[in-house]
Amino acid sequence: MSDTHTVVLVEGVSDKSAVEALAERHGRNLAAEGISLMAMGGATNIGTYIGKFGPPGRNLRLAGLCDVGEEGDFQRSLERAGLGSNLSRSDLEALGFFVCVADLEDELIRALGTATVERVLDAEGELRSFRSLQKQPAWRGRAPHDQLRRFMGSGSGRKIRYSALLVAALDLDRVPRPLDRLLAHVAG
């Protein structure tokens, strides 16, 4: 990390994997650019990471990605670090922090469409497992989008495994806004 000038803070390993996959698709080597991706093990750890890498710590350039449910944690931690007050969503974006509607999996499923996500599942040999989830009483009749989000969140390591695969399936002109903006922000 001695050559690092920017730290990108993401909630978990699946988010980190998606950012890495998108950077690779754009021909970028973030580490060579001095950008370090940090999976924080949950959004509630944001204050610790800002303290370590932001103004109170190493004073590196920060950026990040969070789910809408954790937006408040990010706002409060950035404010405590002296990076603004009463931060709005546009203020967060100006600082390099981008918010996913629901979560990154939701963003990717919407960008790809359910048929494409099902093709990815099929290629991984998990379409039958997904069809089983769809038949469960709690999920029967629900929208395929919601079923896919649930499927991605169930099973050991499934979110991590599929984040890069879903990014690989994206048309580069249909990248979810938060992911696209984050990568653009750390390019400069």
Side-chain angles (χ1 to χ4, degrees):
M1 275 203 54
S2 61
D3 293 337
T4 298
H5 58 74
T6 301
V7 176
V8 176
L9 304 171
V10 296
E11 292 184 44
V13 177
S14 63
D15 302 311
K16 181 178 186 234
S17 179
V19 173
E20 289 170 335
L22 184 59
E24 187 176 305
R25 289 205 53 209
H26 282 289
R28 294 181 60 188
N29 179 335
L30 297 179
E33 293 177 33
I35 300 165
S36 179
L37 290 172
M38 295 291 212
M40 300 181 298
T44 57
N45 295 322
I46 184 71
T48 300
Y49 282 85
I50 289 174
K52 183 175 182 178
F53 298 110
R58 295 187 52 204
N59 202 27
L60 299 174
R61 181 178 179 220
L62 299 174
L65 189 66
C66 70
D67 300 343
V68 72
E70 283 74 29
E71 184 175 7
D73 290 330
F74 274 58
Q75 288 167 324
R76 286 184 296 279
S77 293
L78 290 164
E79 289 170 2
R80 273 192 296 262
L83 296 171
S85 60
N86 298 317
L87 295 173
S88 66
R89 173 95 39 100
S90 60
D91 294 331
L92 287 176
E93 290 188 356
L95 290 170
F97 289 85
F98 301 91
V99 180
C100 295
V101 173
D103 55 28
L104 186 55
E105 291 74 28
D106 173 65
E107 294 275 359
L108 291 168
I109 293 166
R110 275 189 292 110
L112 288 165
T114 58
T116 300
V117 176
E118 286 185 16
R119 282 194 294 277
V120 172
L121 294 178
D122 193 27
E124 293 299 304
E126 286 206 288
L127 190 57
R128 175 182 256 157
S129 295
F130 175 62
R131 296 290 184 234
S132 292
L133 176 134
Q134 289 182 301
K135 293 174 186 172
Q136 293 175 4
W139 291 98
R140 195 175 317 136
R142 296 253 189 116
H145 176 96
D146 296 335
Q147 294 169 335
L148 284 166
R149 277 192 65 222
R150 171 66 179 128
F151 186 75
M152 293 296 165
S154 65
S156 179
R158 193 173 277 147
K159 281 174 87 168
I160 297 166
R161 190 166 117 225
Y162 279 101
S163 61
L165 292 171
L166 295 178
V167 168
L170 280 171
D171 288 331
L172 288 178
D173 62 347
R174 301 221 6 116
V175 174
R177 183 182 184 280
L179 195 54
D180 189 51
R181 297 286 304 272
L182 174 65
L183 208 55
H185 181 82
V186 298

